[in-house]
Amino acid sequence: MLSKNEIKLIKSLKNKKQRHLNKMFVVEGKKSVSEFINSSFDLHKLFSININDFNMIDVNQISKSELGKISFLTNPDDHLAIFKMPDEKPLNENYLLVGLESINDPGNLGTIIRTCEWFGIKDIVCSLDSVDCYNPKVVQSAMGSLSRINITYLDLTKFLKSKSLKKFGTFIDGESVFENKISVDKGIVVFGNEANGISDDLRVLFDIKLTIPRFNNESYPESLNLSNSVGIVLSEFSRKFNEKRSL
Amino acid sequence: MLSKNEIKLIKSLKNKKQRHLNKMFVVEGKKSVSEFINSSFDLHKLFSININDFNMIDVNQISKSELGKISFLTNPDDHLAIFKMPDEKPLNENYLLVGLESINDPGNLGTIIRTCEWFGIKDIVCSLDSVDCYNPKVVQSAMGSLSRINITYLDLTKFLKSKSLKKFGTFIDGESVFENKISVDKGIVVFGNEANGISDDLRVLFDIKLTIPRFNNESYPESLNLSNSVGIVLSEFSRKFNEKRSL
């Protein structure tokens, strides 16, 4: 059974302001819900149309039509959980950090979180105007990786100015990321907004400006998709780091 | 002005069957429409709320509210064009081909088309059950690259069996794509369905099974996003090919 207040709370969590006022967010689907339960996140409430899918006492049985009322998905996925937002954790600067400036698209951020985990990233730092990582579309496309990656929202300009980390920025006109001398294991690599790239304010703060060279003889396409760029840069950093380690 | 028949035609082109019956599809937004006009595609009709944006005679002035009626976008983008589907073109087997089996998500296909162009791919072959490349969401996310990449739908099993090309398949359990001995300039590299990967039927047909190794010590995430995988594999092929060429 679902109470009116529960429906009201869940619906409100579609909204960023309400998520942060309540310090809660929604996760849907067996796989993602299980991964969050097995992480350091605190479960607030779990609703399920098949409570035996979870080996837990506190699962609230609901009907399919009740799930339809509260799910944010077009095709609801049997289980919906409310989790508490964690407290801010310190960054682990012994690993490469990924920075995102003014990222807009929730699907992009979710995919980037998943890709970052694949390549061993522990921390993502986002500028304050970036899309909220507890946005339901981010949670959905991150597919559980959000439960294991630490995401911090901060003033990116101040952060870069205050840190003595090695700073890599990605631009359309930088040095090729495939250049052999560019080898990275610590520091921060920053990616800009989907449409505009890294802002002029931030541009001056980088030690090395990187680019993914276009391997055709044309001037098209103008750019790569943002999450694809993150994947290519991180895979190249990882490849080089691994090669160096095995020498 | 928009006629009733024009509205009816455009709306019908949201549907795959109707697109292929009419041999037409819709492109929206100044940038994409311009790129299609400058390509080998034939323009059928162009509707615009600002006809001076195009240096052409045959632009049909429409109002913003008329555009709202015919646009497939949540935020219509000033211009909407109907283009004719091109005739099938022969594959250029002197370049690396990209194969896609049962790809489902239109946004993924669009991003893959854009990424393929970046890395100099001329031809993509898709299994017959893959999402239609003239689906409005594919056209939108390919951002003009669809006008310059040749996409062919065919029986992928028959195709792979009949060709003596070098065949690379991407799997969760293959050889690392970063292995130095894997160097590619011709042949075909195939990627499977978003959820299930390459089917068992196809699996046996590959000369080399490739994987993108996970660079963390965990068993998560289970996989990478499909378009990110395509980007990483093509960037690695391009990097090696370029390195070899410059030796």
Side-chain angles (χ1 to χ4, degrees):
Chain A
M1 264 294 283
L2 265 172
S3 73
K4 270 192 183 165
N5 276 340
E6 285 168 340
I7 298 178
K8 201 176 152 193
L9 170 66
I10 294 166
K11 285 196 167 169
S12 80
L13 297 178
K14 204 168 183 175
N15 177 282
K16 177 177 173 180
K17 200 174 152 190
Q18 290 300 324
R19 283 196 296 275
H20 287 266
L21 275 173
N22 289 290
K23 291 194 154 290
M24 288 179 195
F25 65 101
V26 166
V27 180
E28 299 195 59
K30 188 176 176 189
K31 200 178 152 290
S32 289
V33 169
S34 303
E35 292 185 27
F36 272 90
I37 288 174
N38 293 325
S39 76
S40 62
F41 281 71
D42 287 330
L43 178 66
H44 174 64
K45 256 181 195 167
L46 172 54
F47 303 94
S48 174
I49 64 169
N50 186 3
I51 58 170
N52 298 323
D53 273 5
F54 291 95
N55 234 337
M56 291 168 60
I57 306 165
D58 282 342
V59 190
N60 300 281
Q61 173 84 55
I62 57 171
S63 69
K64 211 166 172 173
S65 84
E66 283 179 313
L67 180 65
K69 274 186 202 152
I70 52 170
S71 174
F72 301 153
L73 304 174
T74 319
N75 303 307
D77 192 1
D78 292 7
H79 318 283
L80 184 150
I82 306 174
F83 283 91
K84 292 180 190 148
M85 281 186 195
D87 293 331
E88 204 165 284
K89 273 178 278 185
L91 301 175
N92 185 344
E93 295 177 15
N94 293 317
Y95 291 87
L96 179 70
L97 308 175
V98 166
L100 302 171
E101 187 192 19
S102 311
I103 175 168
N104 244 325
D105 183 285
N108 266 344
L109 180 54
T111 307
I112 289 171
I113 293 168
R114 187 172 156 205
T115 299
C116 278
E117 187 183 26
W118 188 275
F119 290 108
I121 300 296
K122 311 288 179 200
D123 284 280
I124 299 175
V125 297
C126 296
S127 66
L128 295 166
D129 60 346
S130 295
V131 61
D132 180 32
C133 67
Y134 300 110
N135 174 309
K137 285 184 190 162
V138 177
V139 179
Q140 187 66 15
S141 65
M143 293 177 81
S145 291
L146 179 62
S147 67
R148 296 174 299 263
I149 291 254
N150 186 30
I151 303 183
T152 308
Y153 288 76
L154 43 70
D155 182 325
L156 203 52
T157 314
K158 265 193 195 161
F159 178 79
L160 290 175
K161 278 185 182 165
S162 70
K163 292 284 176 180
S164 60
L165 296 164
K166 190 106 177 164
K167 290 156 202 154
F168 300 87
T170 51
F171 295 89
I172 205 79
D173 59 350
E175 287 178 69
S176 167
V177 66
F178 302 114
E179 281 293 321
N180 263 327
K181 63 184 194 311
I182 299 167
S183 180
V184 186
D185 54 346
K186 281 185 211 178
I188 182 167
V189 55
V190 177
F191 300 84
N193 168 266
E194 287 91 342
N196 307 313
I198 289 176
S199 68
D200 288 345
D201 281 0
L202 227 57
R203 188 182 170 93
V204 293
L205 303 176
F206 293 100
D207 301 307
I208 297 186
K209 294 185 184 66
L210 294 177
T211 202
I212 300 165
R214 197 192 281 116
F215 284 91
N216 66 23
N217 299 318
E218 317 296 332
S219 52
Y220 287 118
E222 277 173 22
S223 64
L224 275 167
N225 164 278
L226 176 61
S227 81
N228 270 15
S229 304
V230 175
I232 292 167
V233 169
L234 293 185
S235 89
E236 178 60 10
F237 281 10
S238 302
R239 181 190 73 79
K240 283 209 192 93
F241 180 61
N242 222 42
E243 208 172 74
K244 214 172 68 178
R245 216 172 38 179
S246 65
L247 284 181
Chain B
M1 265 294 283
L2 266 172
S3 74
K4 271 191 185 165
N5 277 341
E6 285 167 339
I7 298 178
K8 201 176 153 193
L9 170 66
I10 294 167
K11 284 195 169 171
S12 80
L13 298 178
K14 203 169 182 174
N15 177 281
K16 178 178 172 179
K17 200 174 152 191
Q18 290 300 323
R19 282 196 296 274
H20 287 265
L21 275 172
N22 288 291
K23 292 194 154 290
M24 290 180 195
F25 65 101
V26 167
V27 180
E28 300 194 59
K30 189 178 176 187
K31 200 177 150 292
S32 289
V33 169
S34 304
E35 292 185 29
F36 272 91
I37 288 174
N38 293 326
S39 76
S40 62
F41 281 71
D42 286 331
L43 178 66
H44 174 66
K45 257 180 194 168
L46 172 54
F47 303 94
S48 174
I49 64 169
N50 186 4
I51 58 170
N52 298 323
D53 273 5
F54 291 94
N55 235 339
M56 292 167 58
I57 305 165
D58 281 342
V59 190
N60 300 282
Q61 174 84 54
I62 57 171
S63 69
K64 212 170 170 169
S65 83
E66 283 178 313
L67 180 65
K69 273 185 204 153
I70 53 171
S71 173
F72 301 153
L73 304 174
T74 320
N75 304 307
D77 193 0
D78 292 8
H79 318 283
L80 184 150
I82 306 174
F83 284 91
K84 292 181 190 148
M85 281 185 194
D87 292 331
E88 205 165 285
K89 271 178 278 187
L91 301 175
N92 186 343
E93 294 177 14
N94 293 318
Y95 291 87
L96 179 70
L97 308 175
V98 167
L100 301 171
E101 188 192 18
S102 311
I103 176 168
N104 243 322
D105 183 284
N108 266 344
L109 180 55
T111 307
I112 289 171
I113 293 168
R114 186 171 157 207
T115 299
C116 279
E117 186 183 26
W118 188 274
F119 290 107
I121 301 296
K122 311 288 179 199
D123 283 282
I124 299 175
V125 297
C126 296
S127 65
L128 295 166
D129 60 346
S130 295
V131 61
D132 180 33
C133 67
Y134 300 110
N135 173 309
K137 285 183 188 163
V138 177
V139 180
Q140 187 66 13
S141 65
M143 293 177 83
S145 291
L146 179 63
S147 67
R148 297 174 297 263
I149 292 254
N150 186 31
I151 304 184
T152 308
Y153 288 77
L154 43 70
D155 183 325
L156 203 51
T157 314
K158 264 194 196 160
F159 178 78
L160 290 175
K161 277 185 181 164
S162 70
K163 292 284 177 180
S164 60
L165 295 163
K166 190 106 178 162
K167 291 155 201 155
F168 300 88
T170 51
F171 295 90
I172 205 77
D173 58 351
E175 287 178 69
S176 167
V177 67
F178 302 115
E179 281 293 322
N180 262 326
K181 62 182 197 310
I182 298 166
S183 181
V184 186
D185 53 348
K186 282 184 209 177
I188 182 167
V189 55
V190 177
F191 299 85
N193 167 267
E194 286 92 343
N196 307 314
I198 289 177
S199 68
D200 288 344
D201 281 0
L202 227 56
R203 187 182 172 94
V204 293
L205 303 177
F206 294 100
D207 301 308
I208 298 185
K209 295 185 182 66
L210 293 176
T211 202
I212 300 165
R214 197 192 280 115
F215 284 93
N216 66 24
N217 299 318
E218 317 295 331
S219 51
Y220 288 118
E222 278 172 22
S223 64
L224 275 168
N225 164 276
L226 176 61
S227 81
N228 270 14
S229 303
V230 175
I232 292 167
V233 168
L234 293 185
S235 90
E236 179 60 10
F237 281 10
S238 301
R239 181 190 73 79
K240 283 210 193 91
F241 179 61
N242 222 42
E243 207 172 77
K244 213 172 68 179
R245 215 173 39 181
S246 66
L247 284 182

